[in-house]
Amino acid sequence: MDRLDATPLAALYCKSRRNCPGGQNMPDWFLGAEELRRGRRDVSGSMGQVSGLQAKLRDMQLLQPNEPVTRGLFDAHTELAVRRFQWCAGHVPGALSASGAFVDRPLMPLQVDGVVGERTGRVMQAFSEHGWAPTGLLVRLRIDRLRHTWPNAGFTALLGGHAGIGLCEREFAEVMHAMDAAAQRLGLHIFVNQLFRVECGDDSPAIVRPTSFSSHKIGRGVDLQLGDSATLLAGTNPMDARYMQQAADGTPFAEFRAHAKAALACRYGGDFESIDSPHFDRQILPAGSPTWHMHYYFDQLHYRQALLNADAVPDAA
C-alpha cells in the first residue's frame, strides 16, 4: 500500500534526514506515522498528524470551502482530497509557483487510494519544498495564431477579454491545431463558438457538482461552424451547422467531419442521439466517472487560479 520503492523519486525529493523510515525527509505532520487513512483520529486536541494533513490539503486548495472536515478525523472529505492530490501528482505535468505562475514539473505517479503512505507523504513534501500548488490541465489556445481558425461572433473570451485566446485542455489543443491544418488543406475556415465552459459564476467561492457531464467543462470540446474563403472575405456569417451535418461524401465539409472523427478520434455531435451538430469532443468516458471528476475538479480550479494570475495558464505548445 503506497510503499516507496527504489526509484529516483526518493533521491530527487528527499534532501535532508529525519527520524523516519530510511532516515529520509518527511513532512513534520507525518513523522512517526506508518500511514494515514480514513478513520484515523488524532489522539489529542492539539495539532496532530491528521489535523496537520487537513490544513495542508486546505492550503493546497484540495479541500474547497463547501467541503467541511472534522478536525483531527480522517473523514470522507479528507480522503477525497488526498485522492485528488494523488491523481494530480501523476497526471498534471505542472504546478503553480509561489507567485501563482505555471511551472513545469515531472509527473510523480501515485496510487490513487486516499491513503497517505510513505510515497504520498514524500511527494507532498516535494510540493512543499518547491512551493508548488496543484493545478489543472488547461492551456491557452492562441486562436489568433492559427491560420484558418477564428473566434466566431459571440465567442466568450475568458481571460482578459482577449477574443483571440481560448481555453482548453492541452491534449485538446493538439486537436484544434490538427483541425486547423485540415481546414487549410480543404480550403475551409473554422469559426469557434465555444471551448472551455465555466461551471460557476465568478462570485461563487465553491466549485459545485456539475449538472451535466459536458466535455466543455473539462476543456475537451469545441462548438464550431465552417465557412469557405468566400465567406471569410465577404465578412458574412459562416455556413449553418446543418451544412456540415448534411454534407455529401467527398465534399470539403464532409471530409472535415470524417477527418475529425477518424484521424483525430473525436465524437461528432451530429451523430448524437440528441443532435448537437456543431460539436466535436474527446470526452472522458464514461462521463461522470472518477476520472472525469478529476479532470473537472482541476480544470475548474485552474480557471479560478487564472482569474488571480493569468500566468497560471500556459500557452499551448
Side-chain angles (χ1 to χ4, degrees):
M1 177 79 70
D2 197 27
R3 302 306 298 170
L4 183 67
D5 54 14
T7 66
L9 182 68
L12 183 60
Y13 293 107
C14 296
K15 300 176 181 178
S16 62
R17 293 186 177 273
R18 284 275 182 91
N19 293 324
C20 61
Q24 299 294 332
N25 185 42
M26 295 293 284
D28 290 340
W29 48 261
F30 193 76
L31 294 178
E34 294 184 3
E35 61 182 22
L36 301 179
R37 60 170 59 239
R38 189 169 180 177
R40 188 182 180 95
R41 187 188 296 270
D42 288 341
V43 175
S44 65
S46 60
M47 179 69 80
Q49 293 160 349
V50 175
S51 55
L53 170 65
Q54 291 169 331
K56 183 67 176 175
L57 294 170
R58 187 77 72 185
D59 182 62
M60 290 194 292
Q61 301 183 73
L62 297 171
L63 279 170
Q64 290 297 308
N66 63 338
E67 296 175 326
V69 297
T70 302
R71 187 174 184 270
L73 173 64
F74 200 119
D75 56 13
H77 280 150
T78 304
E79 181 183 65
L80 176 59
V82 171
R83 288 178 182 273
R84 287 169 177 163
F85 176 79
Q86 292 168 327
W87 186 90
C88 182
H91 290 83
V92 180
L96 299 190
S97 66
S99 68
F102 185 90
V103 293
D104 294 320
R105 67 164 180 85
L107 293 177
M108 306 172 190
L110 295 170
Q111 184 174 351
V112 183
D113 57 6
V115 177
V116 182
E118 190 175 344
R119 186 179 180 91
T120 294
R122 289 184 181 178
V123 175
M124 283 189 174
Q125 182 68 6
F127 269 67
S128 295
E129 290 178 353
H130 288 82
W132 290 335
T135 191
L137 291 161
L138 293 180
V139 295
R140 287 188 283 192
L141 178 68
R142 297 300 303 262
I143 299 174
D144 52 0
R145 295 179 183 174
L146 297 176
R147 299 187 64 178
H148 279 241
T149 302
W150 313 87
N152 206 354
F155 176 78
T156 301
L158 296 177
L159 286 183
H162 195 312
I165 298 177
L167 295 180
C168 61
E169 280 200 355
R170 59 181 61 217
E171 177 186 320
F172 200 73
E174 298 174 4
V175 171
M176 293 300 300
H177 278 272
M179 283 186 174
D180 184 76
Q184 184 176 354
R185 174 174 56 84
L186 294 168
L188 299 175
H189 292 269
I190 299 169
F191 298 84
V192 177
N193 298 322
Q194 186 180 56
L195 284 162
F196 179 65
R197 183 182 301 163
V198 180
E199 178 69 29
C200 300
D202 293 343
D203 59 343
S204 172
I207 296 176
V208 300
R209 187 178 182 86
T211 56
S212 66
F213 302 113
S214 168
S215 55
H216 290 285
K217 296 178 183 179
I218 57 173
R220 297 169 68 92
V222 59
D223 288 341
L224 60 82
Q225 291 173 267
L226 293 177
D228 54 23
S229 296
T231 300
L232 183 66
L233 291 173
T236 57
N237 290 330
M239 303 293 187
D240 188 273
R242 68 175 178 270
Y243 284 93
M244 180 165 47
Q245 183 183 351
Q246 300 171 358
D249 290 345
T251 62
F253 277 32
E255 288 192 28
F256 180 91
R257 181 186 65 205
H259 180 77
K261 291 167 60 177
L264 304 183
C266 287
R267 301 190 309 168
Y268 168 54
D271 295 335
F272 293 176
E273 182 175 344
S274 177
I275 299 298
D276 185 11
S277 52
H279 176 93
F280 292 93
D281 72 30
R282 277 190 182 172
Q283 178 63 286
I284 300 293
L285 297 174
S289 66
T291 299
W292 190 96
H293 278 287
M294 289 297 182
H295 281 263
Y296 171 79
Y297 183 89
F298 284 104
D299 287 343
Q300 295 287 325
L301 173 64
H302 201 173
Y303 171 71
R304 294 188 173 280
Q305 293 167 332
L307 292 180
L308 300 176
N309 185 343
D311 290 336
V313 181
D315 283 343

